[in-house]
Amino acid sequence: MKAWGYWIFAGVFLICRMIPLQKRKVLLFSGHNRGLSGNLLEMKRKLEEKEPGVHIVFYSKQEIFDGAGAAGKIKGVFLFFCVLPYHMATAGRVFLNDNFLPLGYCRVHRNAQIVQLWHGAGAFKKFGLSTEEHAAVQRFVRRANKKITHLFVTSAQIKPFYREAFEISEERIYATGIPITDIYCKSGEMEAGKKRFLAQYPALKGKKIVLYTPTFRQSPQENQKIMQRFPVTQLHQQLGGEWVFLIKMHPKYPVDNIPENSFCYNMTNYSQITDLYFSADLLITDYSSTIVEYVLLDKPVLLYAYDLEKYDRGFYRDYEKTVPGPVAHNEQELCRLILQYDENPGKRHTFVKLQYDYRDDCSSERIYHVLKETSAQGH
């Protein structure tokens, strides 16, 4: 979206700001994926538990613009430029899971709380302003991040990385844990996630599941190569018929060359990624922050870094020394490591300690109390 779009959004926001702030109204806005999931879903559950009758509004950017044809596009424009700024201007609390650049042009009410929950746990690969090179985008991001009143992270150790990625003061960064990690300490939630997944894919009951979650690359051509470099047919032949592969690409960078058959399933649009974590027996990824959540399950992880030398996002810590599992650098090493996997739980446990201060189901509770306390102080 260009700057003129941000100004239009901010103009409607300014008009709607004349309406009194509704302190019991909450806006959940997902700029990252479809559907209500992850941190936003868990925060919704906590708010409904603590404040019965709270007015919660949810929008997903992808779903706003999902409509087909001219009518769908008109509806999307109306929702984004009229309805969304109304709710954002009048909600006492706004929860985000990604950057929202129009916010930088909005004159936010001084008593409103703008809460950034982000969409990834911990700090692994560099992100945000740690990697952004485009000067105009940097300005937009800095301007929007100035409006964030609360940024919640998983550990005090990683606060400096988030300060760098968002360029906001550490006083606005709280190491409470994040809402989604609560469910990893609730066996009932994990079983429910498995059941949801198998209800949609009953043929996979009893199968051994490999979940592959590569992160995106800079160009469409490089993204297409991700699956060209993942030898799913060869792996299936070596592992045998009891194994299946779930492919979950980054939701903003889908590809059209994922094989779909009896042993390979495209899960890019499956909204509840935690269901996939709970159902998987082995995670394979490259530089994706999916490992930061998955390690909470204490299950095996393989890293497939075929382009590590060319990967230009960078990491907050040394990649090879830090990752919670063995690293394959080519297809041959990947096949060998899957077949001869020698688990190293010690490396996995060290990774967990780097990323988390808490291993409990109370992160949402801590966040709620921080918001209540700072609200009383006028933030």
Side-chain angles (χ1 to χ4, degrees):
M1 189 188 301
K2 303 296 183 182
W4 62 264
Y6 304 156
W7 283 113
I8 293 172
F9 187 99
V12 178
F13 184 101
L14 183 62
I15 294 169
C16 296
R17 195 180 176 282
M18 292 186 281
I19 302 170
L21 193 71
Q22 301 171 40
K23 291 197 172 183
R24 285 181 56 79
K25 178 178 174 179
V26 174
L27 172 65
L28 308 175
F29 180 73
S30 174
H32 185 252
N33 52 8
R34 299 173 187 275
L36 181 57
S37 62
N39 286 320
L40 296 180
L41 175 59
E42 297 310 311
M43 205 63 230
K44 175 178 181 289
R45 290 171 173 170
K46 178 56 64 174
L47 290 167
E48 289 174 336
E49 171 197 323
K50 305 294 284 189
E51 302 177 11
V54 63
H55 179 201
I56 297 178
V57 180
F58 168 71
Y59 283 99
S60 158
K61 183 178 178 180
Q62 291 191 36
E63 292 173 338
I64 283 175
F65 293 107
D66 256 356
K73 288 181 172 58
I74 292 170
K75 180 181 178 182
V77 168
F78 175 74
L79 287 173
F80 191 86
F81 287 103
C82 297
V83 179
L84 183 61
Y86 160 72
H87 288 302
M88 194 167 283
T90 56
R93 286 163 288 182
V94 176
F95 291 86
L96 307 171
N97 69 353
D98 206 344
N99 290 321
F100 188 66
L101 301 188
L103 192 61
Y105 292 79
C106 297
R107 191 162 158 249
V108 176
H109 196 289
R110 62 185 179 85
N111 291 325
Q113 294 180 323
I114 308 297
V115 182
Q116 178 61 264
L117 297 176
W118 202 233
H119 52 266
F124 176 48
K125 69 179 179 187
K126 291 186 176 182
F127 66 99
L129 292 169
S130 297
T131 61
E132 183 57 61
E133 296 179 351
H134 196 288
V137 176
Q138 290 176 352
R139 289 195 299 271
F140 291 144
V141 173
R142 290 191 184 101
R143 188 167 180 161
N145 287 351
K146 286 181 180 178
K147 305 302 171 68
I148 295 172
T149 60
H150 302 76
L151 170 61
F152 292 101
V153 301
T154 58
S155 166
Q157 291 187 71
I158 67 172
K159 286 176 71 173
F161 303 141
Y162 275 78
R163 182 186 63 210
E164 176 185 308
F166 285 87
E167 290 194 9
I168 66 174
S169 65
E170 285 201 27
E171 288 75 21
R172 289 185 281 159
I173 306 175
Y174 300 84
T176 55
I178 57 175
I180 190 61
T181 59
D182 289 354
I183 66 176
Y184 291 89
C185 296
K186 299 177 181 178
S187 58
E189 290 280 354
M190 290 188 279
E191 287 304 314
K194 289 182 184 178
K195 287 180 180 178
R196 276 194 302 268
F197 174 71
L198 291 174
Q200 292 191 49
Y201 298 92
L204 302 188
K205 189 173 184 180
K207 295 284 189 179
K208 293 282 189 180
I209 295 176
V210 175
L211 174 61
Y212 183 40
T213 61
T215 194
F216 65 93
R217 304 306 196 269
Q218 293 302 318
S219 70
Q221 293 76 19
E222 289 176 297
N223 286 322
Q224 288 292 111
K225 286 181 181 178
I226 292 173
M227 285 309 300
Q228 293 171 11
R229 295 296 302 268
F230 189 70
V232 62
T233 301
Q234 182 182 349
L235 290 171
H236 179 254
Q237 290 171 347
Q238 291 185 351
L239 291 173
E242 67 173 337
W243 286 85
V244 295
F245 296 83
L246 310 181
I247 313 298
K248 176 78 168 172
M249 305 297 288
H250 192 285
K252 290 185 179 178
Y253 302 89
V255 298
D256 58 10
N257 63 340
I258 297 174
E260 295 188 67
N261 49 48
S262 62
F263 60 84
C264 187
Y265 295 76
N266 184 357
M267 294 290 156
T268 301
N269 290 325
Y270 193 96
S271 63
Q272 301 283 2
I273 194 172
T274 50
D275 293 357
L276 307 183
Y277 295 157
F278 300 150
S279 303
D281 297 285
L282 168 67
L283 176 72
I284 300 176
T285 189
D286 44 21
Y287 322 112
S288 170
S289 58
T290 53
I291 59 170
V292 183
E293 281 188 47
Y294 191 82
V295 292
L296 291 173
L297 297 169
D298 202 21
K299 295 194 289 189
V301 179
L302 286 178
L303 287 302
Y304 181 35
Y306 62 83
D307 58 351
L308 179 58
E309 292 183 0
K310 296 188 295 182
Y311 187 67
D312 58 1
R313 290 290 295 274
F315 305 93
Y316 289 110
R317 296 184 173 98
D318 182 271
Y319 179 85
E320 301 251 13
K321 292 179 181 178
T322 304
V323 290
V327 181
H329 301 89
N330 54 53
E331 291 93 328
Q332 292 73 32
E333 287 185 10
L334 178 63
C335 294
R336 178 177 58 79
L337 285 173
I338 290 180
L339 289 170
Q340 305 171 0
Y341 186 65
D342 183 19
E343 191 176 355
N344 184 355
K347 195 175 184 186
R348 197 161 63 235
H349 297 162
T350 299
F351 185 82
V352 170
K353 290 177 183 177
L354 289 173
Q355 301 291 343
Y356 294 98
D357 286 345
Y358 301 98
R359 294 287 304 279
D360 58 25
D361 61 354
C362 300
S363 293
S364 298
E365 185 78 16
R366 285 187 288 270
I367 290 170
Y368 180 78
H369 283 294
V370 167
L371 294 175
K372 290 291 285 186
E373 289 171 7
T374 53
S375 176
Q377 298 166 12
H379 293 288

